[in-house]
């Protein structure tokens, strides 16, 4: 490994109990986001909740990092080798939380997710941008699991049908071709037996210094 300085935003720099506490806080924040977006309580309760959240924000903001915590680059590869799911956005409440499992000796990835009111675009349907974001993430971690540092050069999305909210959907991605530093991959989203989105992407492998971090 490189002798470069340890990245302070890597979750691998945290003790296991600290990491677990952060994961649980992120899970609670996901639930909070949905509750805020869909609450039908009266004005007094909303104002009281706002004051409580302000207090929590002040408390958590008393000491901060410059960036959100994130998993190590090696985590998808490790999950692939161990046959365990890889959790996306496990340490930041901004993203969409999914668990991905690697298949076909790590050349494919599959995940399930239930979109809710936070992901709405057309009435009762998932926003197209969320679908594109998820496919970029799924294909990206699939390539990362090959121990390849790559950036998205092109991602083409074909929206075939509405992806309904509050129903489980399946995300799938696979690597289709490699040529030098170029990696091609494709994927799709299915809901209720209907393929609602198809994606194809080109990813370019880049050089990047490896940052040492203890596991």
């Amino acid at each position: 490994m490189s002798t470069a300085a340890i990245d302070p935003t890597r979750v691998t720099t945290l003790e296991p109990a600290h990491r677990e506490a952060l994961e649980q806080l992120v899970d609670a924040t996901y639930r909070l986001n949905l509750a805020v977006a869909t609450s039908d309580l009266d004005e007094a309760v909303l104002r009281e909740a706002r004051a409580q959240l302000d207090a929590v924000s002040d408390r958590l903001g008393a000491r901060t990092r410059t960036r959100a915590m994130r998993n190590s680059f090696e985590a998808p590869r490790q999950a692939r080798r161990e046959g365990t799911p890889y959790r996306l956005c496990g340490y930041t409440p901004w993203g969409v939380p999914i668990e991905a499992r690697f298949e076909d000796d790590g050349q494919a990835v599959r995940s399930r997710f239930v979109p809710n009111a936070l992901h709405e675009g057309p009435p009762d349907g998932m926003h197209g941008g969320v679908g594109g974001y998820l496919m970029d993430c799924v294909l990206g971690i699939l390539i990362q699991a090959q121990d390849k540092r790559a950036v998205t050069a092109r991602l083409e999305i074909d929206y075939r049908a509405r992806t309904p909210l509050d129903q489980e959907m399946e995300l799938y991605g696979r690597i289709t071709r490699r040529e030098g530093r170029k990696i091609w991959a494709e994927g799709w989203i299915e809901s209720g037996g209907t393929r609602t989105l198809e994606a194809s992407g080109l990813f370019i492998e880049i050089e990047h210094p490896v940052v040492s971090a203890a596991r």
Side-chain angles (χ1 to χ4, degrees):
M1 299 291 289
S2 167
T3 57
I6 292 177
D7 184 344
T9 63
R10 292 278 187 97
V11 296
T12 47
T13 64
L14 302 179
E15 294 296 327
H18 192 168
R19 191 184 314 177
E20 181 183 11
L22 178 58
E23 291 175 349
Q24 293 173 348
L25 178 61
V26 168
D27 285 341
T29 307
Y30 284 133
R31 296 192 298 272
L32 172 64
N33 288 341
L34 182 58
V36 169
T38 58
S39 179
D40 194 31
L41 296 174
D42 59 39
E43 178 184 345
V45 176
L46 297 181
R47 293 188 182 280
E48 179 185 5
R50 180 265 175 95
Q52 293 171 338
L53 291 178
D54 281 345
V56 171
S57 296
D58 289 342
R59 182 177 181 185
L60 292 176
R63 190 177 73 215
T64 62
R65 304 178 181 89
T66 57
R67 296 289 184 269
M69 296 299 289
R70 56 193 175 90
N71 232 325
S72 67
F73 169 78
E74 297 82 8
R77 180 187 60 183
Q78 183 177 4
R80 169 195 171 186
R81 289 179 173 175
E82 296 176 353
T84 57
Y86 175 76
R87 186 181 184 191
L88 182 69
C89 296
Y91 304 101
T92 171
W94 180 88
V96 179
I98 61 172
E99 283 194 347
R101 290 187 175 274
F102 300 102
E103 302 178 350
D104 298 334
D105 195 28
Q107 300 304 297
V109 65
R110 192 181 304 272
S111 182
R112 297 181 183 275
F113 178 67
V114 180
N116 57 43
L118 293 175
H119 313 114
E120 188 172 27
D124 299 319
M126 186 175 71
H127 193 289
V130 175
Y133 160 82
L134 286 172
M135 291 312 307
D136 190 30
C137 290
V138 165
L139 297 179
I141 62 173
L142 173 60
I143 293 169
Q144 195 172 338
Q146 317 303 311
D147 202 22
K148 302 291 185 183
R149 294 183 183 271
V151 294
T152 307
R154 182 176 67 248
L155 184 65
E156 298 179 352
I157 304 293
D158 181 14
Y159 297 98
R160 301 173 58 88
R162 181 178 66 91
T163 304
L165 299 181
D166 305 318
Q167 296 183 31
E168 186 178 70
M169 67 182 195
E170 184 176 75
L171 299 99
Y172 180 79
R174 65 187 180 191
I175 294 174
T176 58
R177 186 159 63 100
R178 306 167 194 247
E179 183 180 311
R181 294 169 49 231
K182 297 180 179 180
I183 305 172
W184 285 265
E186 65 179 10
W188 54 80
I189 290 175
E190 289 188 1
S191 180
T194 299
R195 190 172 294 188
T196 63
L197 182 155
E198 293 182 343
S200 60
L202 169 62
F203 300 83
I204 306 297
E205 187 176 355
I206 61 172
E207 293 185 1
H208 193 284
V210 176
V211 179
S212 176
R215 290 197 175 281

